[in-house]
Amino acid sequence: MTEGLRSDGRQNDELRFVKFFPKFIDYPEGSVLIQMGKTRVLCNVSIQNSVPDWMKGRGKGWMTAEYAMLPRATHTRTEREYKGPSARSQEIKRLIGRSLRTVVDSQLLGERTLMLDCDVLQADGGTRCAAITAGYVALALALGRLVQAGECAAGVIKAPVAAVSVGFVGGKALLDLCYQEDSHADFDMNVVITAGSHFVELQGTAEGSPLSRAELNALIELAEGGIRELISLQEETLMKAGFS
């Protein structure tokens, strides 16, 4: 890692301040607000005791996600998506759904549907990563309630999962990019990893200079360190909420 502090005072390999607020909304089966620097995302999980028609009779469950941003989540107001999700929102919600489906045992879930709603209250970079990271905690809270009630087997969640952004900005490899860093990145990537360093998804794009293999490996190692920290915070949050 190159040395020196970033504009917000962090080291290059340091996450932004991260805090989970579990049970943020009373009504969903699982609810979590995540604060990741200035980014704030509310994740709510609802459980339906049915599955889509195309899955009926298979004895398996399903998980889906939605993603939206409040009109003043950013510096300028954006219109609400009355005509359906934008291409960006569609892409992000599919990423969130794919990421969390990998850690749910659909057979043990039974014919239930998990619906995760991710709403960005304030955006300062990394909203999709924050949604995946907090979405897992909301999911664990929701399924933990089923397990405690004896309605679902304890192994329904196979492993924790989290996501973080990394990138090269001004020739420096940085962890957990804020908006200012992301908008000036030569290369940025979103990395989704489960506990035990099993990779779910890598989304990387060169906005300026392409990367060498060595530089790509450096970013992946940086992301792995950040993910380990995030998973530790997830587990600590769940333990305090009574779900370990």
Side-chain angles (χ1 to χ4, degrees), residues 33 60 75 80 120 169 184 218 222 239 243:
L33 174 72
K60 298 169 64 176
H75 292 90
R80 295 185 187 273
V120 179
V169 184
H184 290 89
L222 192 60
M239 287 186 65
F243 298 90

Side-chain angles (χ1 to χ4, degrees), residues 201-224:
E201 189 143 353
L202 302 173
Q203 293 185 333
T205 304
E207 303 288 352
S209 303
L211 289 190
S212 68
R213 179 60 179 269
E215 290 171 324
L216 178 61
N217 289 344
L219 285 183
I220 291 173
E221 288 181 12
L222 192 60
E224 285 185 283

Side-chain angles (χ1 to χ4, degrees), residues 121-199:
L121 309 185
Q122 184 166 287
D124 186 38
T127 60
R128 70 188 69 192
C129 294
I132 291 168
T133 302
Y136 167 75
V137 179
L139 189 67
L141 290 172
L143 291 177
R145 293 172 66 175
L146 288 183
V147 171
Q148 288 185 347
E151 298 177 25
C152 205
V156 64
I157 293 185
K158 296 184 282 187
V161 64
V164 74
S165 63
V166 288
F168 271 95
V169 184
K172 299 177 182 179
L174 304 182
L175 174 68
D176 189 16
L177 308 183
C178 65
Y179 174 77
Q180 181 184 23
E181 293 167 338
D182 182 71
S183 62
H184 290 89
D186 295 315
F187 185 99
D188 65 283
M189 180 164 63
N190 299 303
V191 184
V192 187
I193 309 177
T194 69
S197 291
H198 291 89
F199 288 80

Side-chain angles (χ1 to χ4, degrees), residues 15 162 164 193-197 220-235:
L15 291 170
V164 74
I193 309 177
T194 69
S197 291
I220 291 173
E221 288 181 12
L222 192 60
E224 285 185 283
I227 295 288
R228 284 193 293 269
E229 288 187 57
L230 290 170
I231 288 176
S232 178
L233 290 169
Q234 288 174 331
E235 292 174 339

